[in-house]
Amino acid sequence: MLSALLVMAGIAITLGAVLGFSAIKFRVEGNPLVDKIDAILPQIQCGQCGYPGCKPYANAIASGEADINKCAPGGEEGIRKLADLLGVEFKPFGGGTVLKPKSVAFIDENLCIGCTLCFQACPVDAIAGAAKQMHTIIASECTGCELCVAPCPVECISMVAIEENITGWKWRYPVIPIQAAG
Ligand code: SF4
Ligand code: SF4
């Protein structure tokens, strides 16, 4: 009886070790396609696509649940890159919101009461301030996601469009290679 118990315990331990080893050895680190899609998305976590952040939207695209044209901050350039990656047709922006010019938030510091609600809402730490102290936007960090605008109880945050100038100008259209004649 005792030997039978020992044999069974031995088999159980061996099987457990094999399963444990396999789980480590053959584990898949995330979904490579989701990671590639997520790498194209602007990581603003603004939720304008209807998903609670860029990674959930990337998951939805990879599973076929969502279309590639819902990311407003990514704009047409982002849609083109996703279309190229997935080998599908480019589609004009079709998310729930309108494509807006790139913008940054601006706090009217005379009105700010230092409630910190905007500070808590900002997903990229682009707001400097402390409780009961004036808050201000770090424009170079702001992604224009607008998540800080709604929580402000005194409505002192506005969005300012970024003026396009030669330093920020980019060629937006796909470069079509010219085929050599003959
Ligand atoms: S400051 Fe406002 S608009 Fe800018 S990234 Fe933060 S939450 Fe978004
Ligand atoms: S939410 Fe408005 S009032 Fe509150 S700290 Fe931010 S800017 Fe100031």
Side-chain angles (χ1 to χ4, degrees):
M1 180 66 178
L2 181 60
S3 56
L5 278 175
L6 286 173
V7 168
M8 283 175 66
I11 292 169
I13 291 167
T14 313
L15 281 177
V18 169
L19 284 173
F21 173 75
S22 313
I24 294 165
K25 177 98 177 131
F26 301 112
R27 193 174 74 181
V28 177
E29 296 287 343
N31 176 335
L33 178 60
V34 171
D35 295 341
K36 284 187 182 151
I37 293 170
D38 194 36
I40 291 172
L41 298 174
Q43 301 311 311
I44 290 178
Q45 321 302 342
C46 64
Q48 290 179 61
C49 57
Y51 291 85
C54 299
K55 190 80 182 237
Y57 180 42
N59 275 312
I61 292 175
S63 66
E65 179 194 318
D67 221 330
I68 61 170
N69 60 347
K70 294 192 176 308
C71 174
E76 283 200 357
E77 194 184 337
I79 300 170
R80 273 183 213 293
K81 285 184 182 162
L82 289 171
D84 291 347
L85 173 70
L86 302 168
V88 297
E89 282 292 309
F90 167 82
K91 289 182 181 168
F93 177 70
T97 58
V98 292
L99 264 183
K100 299 173 193 158
K102 289 202 180 305
S103 56
V104 288
F106 172 79
I107 293 178
D108 183 340
E109 291 156 8
N110 299 318
L111 297 177
C112 173
I113 58 172
C115 70
T116 79
L117 289 176
C118 58
F119 183 93
Q120 295 166 45
C122 180
V124 292
D125 299 332
I127 302 177
K132 297 197 170 55
Q133 303 296 320
M134 177 198 78
H135 284 52
T136 191
I137 302 288
I138 307 164
S140 59
E141 297 299 316
C142 175
T143 61
C145 72
E146 301 188 21
L147 288 174
C148 57
V149 176
C152 178
V154 292
E155 298 180 350
C156 69
I157 306 179
S158 53
M159 299 306 295
V160 180
I162 300 172
E163 232 179 270
E164 194 158 315
N165 56 33
I166 197 72
T167 51
W169 187 83
K170 267 195 293 190
W171 180 258
R172 280 203 183 77
Y173 303 97
V175 178
I176 301 157
I178 298 169
Q179 301 293 332

